[in-house]
Amino acid sequence: MTRIGIDLGGTTVKAGLFTEEGQLLSKTEFPTARENGRTGLLSDIASHVWTMVLEQGVPLSDCAAGIGVPGPVEEGGYTEAIPNLGIRDCYMGRELSALLDIPVRILNDANAAAFGEYWTGAGRGSRSMICVTLGTGVGAGIVLNGEIVGGAHGLGGELGHVFVNPDETERCGCGATGCLDQVASANGVARYAKKLYDLPYPTAKDVCDAAKAGDALAEKTLRYCMSFLGKALCMVGYTVDPELVVIGGGLSKAGPYLLDIIYDSYKDLPKLTTKRMQFKLATLGNDAGITGAARYAVK
Ligand SMILES: [Zn+2]
């Protein structure tokens, strides 16, 4: 069985063709065709996938596909809403399956990224892990005993919207106030550098670069923002206790320096045991989503 992994984003769609074992054979990327609604978008995805598979000389009938989407996906593949794409109330996996005439399974995009890291990335060989993606927002996915934890309502691993910060004054995109997403994401780091110390760094990368170069206030900002992630990861430890924490996303490009700050913010919190979750940087970069979707394609 050849696997197709699709990562549906707000601006681009990525798709990859993988062997049964997870070797990437081919990939393609194209703009998200939002103008013709859900039907137009799915037709466009189907035609790009069809072309990619044809070019590799693989019979489409030997393939199964997985698609990661930027919103909660319930058990059974139902999607209540993907606000970014203006999509509501549907079974997109089934619709794409009908277009391609192959099995298609659907999951949340952060869960797909986590499953990718688990399959062929930083989590390879582990039994349980959480992958946290620090990008524009905070995404996360949990793998337990080799299965992604999607949850009964599609909220499994949605760590970005746990309440962590009672001092937050602004409202999160989800409608709540004080979400992890608001403080530990790249946007959050940049916002708090301004808010806490009025630092002249417009992006999280600038804050990280300055901190590495010795700017004490930039480092304080990072430690402040990541302290909330440390607390959230301690809660994850007390709920599902994975062996491994994988940190990915744009912010993780700050490398071991940032990983150490995150680990420091977590390591002294649990008191019931001296054992600690292991921390690693993600290794698949932008391919994590297509890789995990491809893994999810076949149960
Ligand atoms: Zn939120």
Side-chain angles (χ1 to χ4, degrees):
M1 182 71 74
T2 307
R3 299 161 182 264
I4 298 163
I6 303 161
D7 184 4
L8 171 55
T11 51
T12 56
V13 183
K14 301 182 193 79
L17 192 66
F18 293 80
T19 64
E20 178 70 34
E21 292 75 30
Q23 190 198 339
L24 180 61
L25 299 171
S26 168
K27 64 177 171 177
T28 180
E29 191 173 328
F30 44 95
T32 307
R34 310 171 62 136
E35 56 286 352
N36 297 317
R38 183 171 92 234
T39 318
L41 172 61
L42 289 172
S43 305
D44 189 62
I45 292 172
S47 93
H48 279 93
V49 165
W50 188 73
T51 305
M52 176 180 72
V53 172
L54 200 72
E55 279 172 1
Q56 289 298 310
V58 174
L60 192 60
S61 56
D62 285 352
C63 297
I67 180 168
V69 299
V73 178
E74 293 181 15
E75 258 178 327
Y78 175 73
T79 299
E80 188 177 275
I82 305 176
N84 277 353
L85 295 171
I87 288 172
R88 293 195 66 82
D89 192 28
C90 62
Y91 289 85
M92 286 176 79
R94 286 185 201 170
E95 291 173 33
L96 188 59
S97 173
L99 288 171
L100 287 169
D101 199 24
I102 59 170
V104 178
R105 298 182 75 213
I106 182 169
L107 79 169
N108 169 264
D109 59 358
N111 289 351
F115 217 17
E117 289 291 342
Y118 169 76
W119 193 28
T120 63
R124 189 176 199 159
S126 70
R127 292 271 295 151
S128 59
M129 59 168 259
I130 176 167
C131 176
V132 181
T133 307
L134 302 174
T136 318
V138 174
I142 295 171
V143 180
L144 284 184
N145 302 321
E147 300 271 352
I148 194 85
V149 179
H153 312 99
L155 299 182
E158 202 58 80
L159 198 67
H161 300 285
V162 294
F163 173 76
V164 290
N165 185 6
D167 297 328
E168 181 62 72
T169 49
E170 290 182 22
R171 200 171 280 277
C172 177
C174 77
T177 298
C179 294
L180 181 63
D181 195 289
Q182 293 181 277
V183 63
S185 62
N187 286 353
V189 167
R191 188 162 64 88
Y192 272 89
K194 175 85 182 151
K195 187 173 167 171
L196 294 174
Y197 306 114
D198 200 25
L199 298 179
Y201 309 128
T203 70
K205 183 183 182 302
D206 299 327
V207 178
C208 289
D209 288 347
K212 282 187 192 176
D215 184 325
L217 291 179
E219 178 163 327
K220 260 181 109 170
T221 302
L222 279 177
R223 290 195 181 273
Y224 173 81
C225 292
M226 293 307 127
S227 71
F228 296 98
L229 178 57
K231 288 189 185 102
L233 288 170
C234 178
M235 292 182 222
V236 170
Y238 278 138
T239 45
V240 291
D241 193 17
E243 57 182 275
L244 180 65
V245 177
V246 174
I247 303 290
L251 203 51
S252 73
K253 288 183 185 146
Y257 173 78
L258 183 76
L259 196 69
D260 287 348
I261 289 179
I262 297 170
Y263 183 72
D264 282 349
S265 74
Y266 148 81
K267 70 176 196 301
D268 296 329
L269 300 178
K271 304 292 187 197
L272 282 180
T273 166
T274 58
K275 305 282 195 322
R276 293 292 178 263
M277 300 185 285
Q278 218 192 320
F279 280 56
K280 285 186 182 175
L281 289 166
T283 61
L284 297 182
N286 288 335
D287 287 345
I290 54 172
T291 306
R295 171 64 186 79
Y296 195 71
V298 183
K299 211 168 182 178

Short mmCIF file of all heavy atoms in Angstrom, two decimals, residues 7 13 35 47 54 81 85 96 98-99 106 109 114 125 128 149 168 188 201 219 224 240 247 295:
data_model
loop_
_atom_site.label_atom_id
_atom_site.label_comp_id
_atom_site.label_asym_id
_atom_site.label_seq_id
_atom_site.Cartn_x
_atom_site.Cartn_y
_atom_site.Cartn_z
N ASP A 7 -1.51 17.89 3.73
CA ASP A 7 -1.53 18.86 4.82
C ASP A 7 -2.25 20.11 4.29
O ASP A 7 -1.71 20.87 3.50
CB ASP A 7 -0.07 19.17 5.22
CG ASP A 7 0.03 20.11 6.41
OD1 ASP A 7 -1.03 20.46 6.98
OD2 ASP A 7 1.16 20.49 6.76
N VAL A 13 -1.44 24.06 0.36
CA VAL A 13 -1.69 22.64 0.57
C VAL A 13 -0.41 21.91 0.21
O VAL A 13 0.19 22.20 -0.83
CB VAL A 13 -2.84 22.12 -0.33
CG1 VAL A 13 -3.12 20.65 -0.05
CG2 VAL A 13 -4.09 22.95 -0.16
N GLU A 35 -11.43 29.98 -3.31
CA GLU A 35 -12.46 30.83 -3.94
C GLU A 35 -13.75 30.07 -4.32
O GLU A 35 -14.80 30.67 -4.41
CB GLU A 35 -11.88 31.59 -5.14
CG GLU A 35 -11.22 30.76 -6.24
CD GLU A 35 -9.84 30.19 -5.87
OE1 GLU A 35 -9.31 30.56 -4.80
OE2 GLU A 35 -9.32 29.36 -6.62
N SER A 47 -7.13 16.75 -7.88
CA SER A 47 -6.45 16.76 -9.17
C SER A 47 -4.93 16.86 -8.99
O SER A 47 -4.17 16.22 -9.73
CB SER A 47 -7.02 17.86 -10.08
OG SER A 47 -6.29 19.04 -9.95
N LEU A 54 0.28 9.86 -10.52
CA LEU A 54 0.46 9.44 -11.92
C LEU A 54 1.93 9.59 -12.33
O LEU A 54 2.52 8.70 -12.96
CB LEU A 54 -0.43 10.30 -12.81
CG LEU A 54 -0.77 9.76 -14.19
CD1 LEU A 54 -1.75 8.60 -14.04
CD2 LEU A 54 -1.39 10.86 -15.06
N ALA A 81 -16.28 22.83 12.41
CA ALA A 81 -15.90 24.11 11.81
C ALA A 81 -14.40 24.21 11.61
O ALA A 81 -13.62 23.81 12.47
CB ALA A 81 -16.37 25.26 12.70
N LEU A 85 -10.78 28.44 7.02
CA LEU A 85 -11.11 28.12 5.64
C LEU A 85 -12.59 28.35 5.34
O LEU A 85 -13.06 28.09 4.24
CB LEU A 85 -10.76 26.65 5.33
CG LEU A 85 -9.27 26.31 5.40
CD1 LEU A 85 -9.06 24.81 5.28
CD2 LEU A 85 -8.50 27.03 4.29
N LEU A 96 -13.46 13.64 -0.06
CA LEU A 96 -12.24 13.46 -0.86
C LEU A 96 -12.10 12.00 -1.30
O LEU A 96 -11.65 11.72 -2.42
CB LEU A 96 -11.01 13.91 -0.05
CG LEU A 96 -9.69 13.96 -0.79
CD1 LEU A 96 -9.75 14.92 -1.98
CD2 LEU A 96 -8.54 14.38 0.14
N ALA A 98 -14.51 10.02 -2.05
CA ALA A 98 -15.42 9.83 -3.18
C ALA A 98 -14.80 10.37 -4.48
O ALA A 98 -14.93 9.77 -5.55
CB ALA A 98 -16.76 10.51 -2.91
N LEU A 99 -14.09 11.49 -4.37
CA LEU A 99 -13.46 12.09 -5.56
C LEU A 99 -12.30 11.24 -6.08
O LEU A 99 -12.13 11.08 -7.29
CB LEU A 99 -12.94 13.50 -5.24
CG LEU A 99 -13.98 14.61 -5.05
CD1 LEU A 99 -13.31 15.88 -4.54
CD2 LEU A 99 -14.70 14.90 -6.38
N ILE A 106 -9.16 11.38 7.90
CA ILE A 106 -8.92 12.79 8.20
C ILE A 106 -8.57 12.96 9.68
O ILE A 106 -9.08 12.25 10.53
CB ILE A 106 -10.17 13.63 7.81
CG1 ILE A 106 -9.95 15.12 8.07
CG2 ILE A 106 -11.41 13.16 8.53
CD1 ILE A 106 -11.05 16.01 7.46
N ASP A 109 -4.51 18.88 12.01
CA ASP A 109 -3.16 19.09 11.47
C ASP A 109 -2.03 19.00 12.51
O ASP A 109 -0.96 18.47 12.22
CB ASP A 109 -3.07 20.40 10.66
CG ASP A 109 -3.42 21.64 11.45
OD1 ASP A 109 -3.78 21.52 12.65
OD2 ASP A 109 -3.35 22.75 10.88
N ALA A 114 2.37 15.65 14.85
CA ALA A 114 2.86 14.81 15.95
C ALA A 114 3.04 13.36 15.48
O ALA A 114 4.05 12.71 15.79
CB ALA A 114 1.88 14.86 17.11
N GLY A 125 10.68 5.27 17.51
CA GLY A 125 11.14 4.31 18.51
C GLY A 125 10.51 4.50 19.88
O GLY A 125 10.64 3.64 20.74
N SER A 128 5.22 6.57 23.51
CA SER A 128 4.26 7.64 23.79
C SER A 128 5.00 8.97 23.77
O SER A 128 6.13 9.07 24.24
CB SER A 128 3.61 7.42 25.16
OG SER A 128 4.59 7.39 26.17
N VAL A 149 -4.08 10.52 19.84
CA VAL A 149 -5.23 10.73 20.72
C VAL A 149 -6.08 11.87 20.13
O VAL A 149 -5.83 13.04 20.39
CB VAL A 149 -4.78 11.08 22.16
CG1 VAL A 149 -5.98 11.33 23.05
CG2 VAL A 149 -3.92 9.96 22.72
N GLU A 168 -3.54 37.61 31.56
CA GLU A 168 -3.76 38.00 30.16
C GLU A 168 -4.94 38.96 30.06
O GLU A 168 -5.96 38.79 30.73
CB GLU A 168 -4.03 36.75 29.32
CG GLU A 168 -4.25 37.00 27.83
CD GLU A 168 -3.04 37.62 27.16
OE1 GLU A 168 -2.01 36.93 26.97
OE2 GLU A 168 -3.13 38.82 26.83
N GLY A 188 3.05 35.26 20.53
CA GLY A 188 3.03 35.56 21.96
C GLY A 188 4.36 36.09 22.44
O GLY A 188 4.42 37.08 23.17
N TYR A 201 12.07 44.32 19.33
CA TYR A 201 12.20 43.14 18.47
C TYR A 201 10.83 42.74 17.94
O TYR A 201 9.98 42.27 18.69
CB TYR A 201 12.81 41.97 19.24
CG TYR A 201 14.09 42.33 19.96
CD1 TYR A 201 14.26 42.06 21.31
CD2 TYR A 201 15.14 42.95 19.28
CE1 TYR A 201 15.43 42.39 21.97
CE2 TYR A 201 16.31 43.29 19.94
CZ TYR A 201 16.45 43.01 21.28
OH TYR A 201 17.61 43.35 21.94
N GLU A 219 16.05 37.33 27.06
CA GLU A 219 16.03 36.00 27.66
C GLU A 219 14.95 35.90 28.75
O GLU A 219 14.26 34.90 28.86
CB GLU A 219 17.40 35.64 28.25
CG GLU A 219 17.35 34.26 28.91
CD GLU A 219 18.71 33.63 29.16
OE1 GLU A 219 19.63 33.86 28.36
OE2 GLU A 219 18.82 32.90 30.16
N TYR A 224 9.84 33.86 30.65
CA TYR A 224 8.47 34.15 31.09
C TYR A 224 7.46 33.39 30.21
O TYR A 224 6.60 32.67 30.71
CB TYR A 224 8.20 35.65 31.01
CG TYR A 224 6.77 36.03 31.29
CD1 TYR A 224 6.29 36.13 32.59
CD2 TYR A 224 5.87 36.26 30.24
CE1 TYR A 224 4.97 36.44 32.86
CE2 TYR A 224 4.55 36.58 30.49
CZ TYR A 224 4.10 36.67 31.80
OH TYR A 224 2.78 36.98 32.05
N VAL A 240 -1.38 12.15 30.99
CA VAL A 240 -1.10 10.97 30.16
C VAL A 240 0.34 10.49 30.26
O VAL A 240 0.66 9.42 29.75
CB VAL A 240 -1.46 11.20 28.68
CG1 VAL A 240 -2.97 11.29 28.51
CG2 VAL A 240 -0.80 12.44 28.12
N ILE A 247 9.58 19.24 20.52
CA ILE A 247 9.25 20.64 20.27
C ILE A 247 9.57 20.99 18.81
O ILE A 247 10.71 20.83 18.35
CB ILE A 247 10.06 21.58 21.20
CG1 ILE A 247 9.83 21.22 22.67
CG2 ILE A 247 9.72 23.04 20.93
CD1 ILE A 247 8.47 21.53 23.23
N ARG A 295 0.93 8.44 7.55
CA ARG A 295 0.91 7.36 8.55
C ARG A 295 -0.52 7.04 8.96
O ARG A 295 -0.90 5.88 9.14
CB ARG A 295 1.76 7.77 9.76
CG ARG A 295 1.67 6.85 10.97
CD ARG A 295 2.21 5.46 10.66
NE ARG A 295 2.00 4.55 11.78
CZ ARG A 295 0.85 3.94 12.05
NH1 ARG A 295 -0.22 4.16 11.28
NH2 ARG A 295 0.74 3.13 13.08
#
